[in-house]
């Protein structure tokens, strides 16, 4: 059963720092919602790829663009810019980067659960 909840990005459940940005995660009900704050110079293939370990972003996203300009390049060659007021639905397989000198802020309704999460390290037992 769904319950009433009130959360704020002023007090996120979790903050994940990465080069040129951070992801603020809110856990609401059964969902994680992310506010991504990406600074000028941020690019997925440079700043997040080391966490992901994949050639392109495999997390699908459903995002509302609050501020700044984000250039998105899909693996199929499709490219476009997304800016304030835009909503993007991105399947897996893309790169993206900040265009210009203004930080990009997006609210990601789908895809934030594992975004920029450090990979879990397996600990080997000792004999």
């Amino acid at each position: 059963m769904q319950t009433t909840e009130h959360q704020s990005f002023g007090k996120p459940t979790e903050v994940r720092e990465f080069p040129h940005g951070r992801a603020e995660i809110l856990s609401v009900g059964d969902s994680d919602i992310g506010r991504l704050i990406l600074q000028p110079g941020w690019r997925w293939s440079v700043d997040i790829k080391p966490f992901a370990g994949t050639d392109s972003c495999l997390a699908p996203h459903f995002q509302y663009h609050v501020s700044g300009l984000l250039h998105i390049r899909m693996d199929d060659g499709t490219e476009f810019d997304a800016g304030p007021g835009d909503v993007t639905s991105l399947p897996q397989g893309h790169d993206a980067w900040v265009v210009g000198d203004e930080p990009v802020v997006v609210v990601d309704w789908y895809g934030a659960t594992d975004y920029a999460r450090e990979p879990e390290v397996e600990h080997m037992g000792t004999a």
Side-chain angles (χ1 to χ4, degrees):
M1 175 180 212
Q2 185 177 5
T3 60
T4 302
E5 290 190 49
H6 178 252
Q7 302 284 339
S8 170
F9 281 114
K11 290 178 134 183
T13 306
E14 179 182 0
V15 176
R16 299 178 195 145
E17 302 279 343
F18 47 85
H20 296 105
R22 70 182 183 274
E24 300 170 341
I25 310 298
L26 288 181
S27 294
V28 181
D30 295 338
S31 300
D32 290 330
I33 301 155
R35 179 168 67 175
L36 307 180
I37 301 166
L38 311 171
Q39 298 299 324
W42 178 89
R43 184 172 183 146
W44 185 92
S45 58
V46 174
D47 297 317
I48 303 299
K49 183 177 179 175
F51 293 102
T54 58
D55 289 334
S56 60
C57 182
L58 298 183
H61 300 284
F62 186 63
Q63 300 174 326
Y64 173 73
H65 295 257
V66 177
S67 63
L69 189 62
L70 189 67
H71 187 82
I72 299 160
R73 178 183 299 146
M74 303 303 297
D75 286 353
D76 69 4
T78 303
E79 293 190 48
F80 58 94
D81 290 328
D86 290 346
V87 173
T88 55
S89 177
L90 305 175
Q92 56 180 240
H94 53 272
D95 190 8
W97 56 91
V98 173
V99 176
D101 296 329
E102 183 181 353
V104 166
V105 177
V106 299
V107 176
D108 192 351
W109 295 95
Y110 188 79
T113 300
D114 293 320
Y115 191 84
R117 184 181 299 240
E118 289 279 358
E120 292 186 25
V121 178
E122 286 189 34
H123 297 285
M124 297 181 63
T126 57

